[in-house]
Amino acid sequence: MTVERDAAPGRSEHTRPESSVVSLRDATLGYGRRVLWSGLNLDVAPGEFVAVLGPNGSGKTSLLRVLLGLQPVTSGSVRVVGESPGRGNRRIGYVPQQRAMEESLVMRGRDLVGLGLDGHRWGIGLLGMRARRERVDAALDAVDAHGFADAPVGRLSGGEQQRLRVAQALVSDPEVLLCDEPLLSLDLANQQVVSSLIDRRRRTANTAVLFVTHEINPVLPLVDRVLYLVDGRFRIGTPDEVMTARTLSELYRAKIDVVRVRGQIHVVGAQAGLCEQDHHEDRN
Ligand SMILES: Nc1ncnc2c1ncn2[C@@H]1O[C@H](COP(=O)(O)OP(=O)(O)OP(=O)(O)O)[C@@H](O)[C@H]1O
């Protein structure tokens, strides 16, 4: 497979390798003979917001799995907050794909958030009971979730559940926040609520954000850089550098038009499978 390296500058002026909290060097990920991406160099600075875009199967979730220490790269090096990726790193927060929780789930919201401190272990865990309660309360505050924190999570709306997932990701005070399509199946109002919670975190705590999404527009004002993956090829750069007809036509190897209307970016192409035309309805 031909692999194109980042022709766009790939680093914004504020992303210096020495200060980056996520760093991939010549990283390749493949499953068997299939290469998802190769020669990937990416440095993410504290407080930077990187949107990860690409069609189904292009390796976006796999990138997050690599950073979480759940999947080794085939070659190259990866550092996250100065360390090799490893499971259970409390300096990394993770907001998984939005999926409705079972209605019968009786766990309270505040207990779900507390799992972000102790993983699957119940009890007082690494922190004393009082410190733990304070951390959970602070995370609930950050997402304005006190009103429903004691209700069974299975009875909450999708937007409320997603706010709790963000709180769970923030409770360990992470330096890097990995978000896997956190806006999926949320209505516009809740998309704005959740994305501004994430934005507030990176502005107040300088937390870097890698944000996997199929739709850039809901987060476009927040995005510093885009990593766009297509079929083993990728581009890294600012939205203005990457979201152009020329760059996307090269990536998709098809004629793609990019139309900007009222501050939004619309990607139009004859080819099926364009990232922005794919809303994953089948998953919900
Ligand atoms: N453990 C694995 N072993 C083999 N193949 C895998 C494994 N995990 C993922 N894949 C394959 O790698 C490809 C990329 O998967 P990934 O979930 O990273 O894509 P994605 O870009 O997040 O897709 P989507 O937008 O559909 O969520 C898919 O074709 C998937 O089937």
Side-chain angles (χ1 to χ4, degrees):
M1 178 178 298
T2 311
V3 172
E4 293 173 19
R5 292 169 193 244
D6 48 333
R11 276 182 203 150
S12 52
E13 66 287 349
H14 54 278
T15 313
R16 294 187 306 279
E18 63 274 17
S19 64
S20 58
V21 284
V22 171
S23 176
L24 292 109
R25 283 280 159 279
D26 205 13
T28 295
L29 179 66
Y31 294 116
R33 297 169 77 181
R34 181 170 174 214
V35 176
L36 289 186
W37 30 263
S38 170
L40 181 58
N41 291 303
L42 176 67
D43 287 295
V44 183
E48 193 179 12
F49 192 112
V50 177
V52 183
L53 289 156
N56 286 146
S58 54
K60 305 179 296 296
T61 295
S62 297
L63 173 63
L64 298 192
R65 286 177 55 78
V66 164
L67 300 176
L68 288 164
L70 300 173
Q71 177 69 47
V73 284
T74 316
S75 64
S77 73
V78 182
R79 307 287 285 174
V80 187
V81 283
E83 296 171 16
S84 296
R87 287 166 193 248
N89 186 337
R90 286 152 50 94
R91 295 161 81 190
I92 305 175
Y94 174 52
V95 183
Q97 281 195 356
Q98 148 83 334
R99 286 205 174 96
M101 295 181 198
E102 288 290 323
E103 253 179 71
S104 58
L105 195 57
V106 292
M107 178 190 282
R108 296 178 310 164
R110 67 173 59 251
D111 298 326
L112 182 85
V113 173
L115 291 179
L117 287 171
D118 300 316
H120 61 281
R121 288 183 296 121
W122 289 95
I124 58 172
L126 297 172
L127 291 169
M129 204 103 97
R130 186 164 163 205
R132 182 190 160 89
R133 198 168 46 237
E134 285 172 2
R135 295 278 285 269
V136 170
D137 278 339
L140 289 167
D141 266 347
V143 302
D144 197 15
H146 274 290
F148 47 87
D150 292 307
V153 289
R155 296 216 198 120
L156 300 177
S157 74
E160 289 164 342
Q161 290 178 354
Q162 198 61 344
R163 275 151 72 177
L164 291 171
R165 287 192 185 93
V166 173
Q168 188 190 62
L170 297 185
V171 73
S172 64
D173 201 16
E175 290 170 56
V176 177
L177 193 56
L178 306 177
C179 305
D180 198 349
E181 301 193 53
L183 309 183
L184 203 64
S185 82
L186 294 182
D187 63 25
L188 215 57
N190 276 296
Q191 284 185 6
Q192 275 167 1
V193 168
V194 170
S195 46
S196 48
L197 292 172
I198 292 169
D199 185 43
R200 194 195 309 158
R201 169 72 197 186
R202 68 152 180 153
R203 288 185 190 285
T204 56
N206 219 19
T207 299
V209 180
L210 267 87
F211 193 101
V212 169
T213 182
H214 275 79
E215 172 56 70
I216 194 173
N217 287 315
V219 289
L220 188 57
L222 317 182
V223 173
D224 294 309
R225 284 188 299 158
V226 172
L227 164 62
Y228 207 122
L229 304 163
V230 183
D231 197 20
R233 300 176 291 281
F234 62 85
R235 289 288 189 280
I236 303 170
T238 64
D240 282 348
E241 288 165 344
V242 176
M243 304 302 288
T244 67
R246 184 174 169 191
T247 300
L248 295 188
S249 298
E250 282 171 16
L251 273 177
Y252 280 98
R253 295 197 167 149
K255 173 88 179 94
I256 305 289
D257 290 311
V258 175
V259 185
R260 289 174 185 260
V261 186
R262 292 189 195 152
Q264 295 207 329
I265 296 176
H266 295 280
V267 180
V268 187
Q271 178 198 26
L274 265 178
C275 162
E276 293 73 12
Q277 290 173 347
D278 178 354
H279 297 296
H280 283 218
E281 280 107 352
D282 52 332
R283 290 198 172 176
N284 300 302

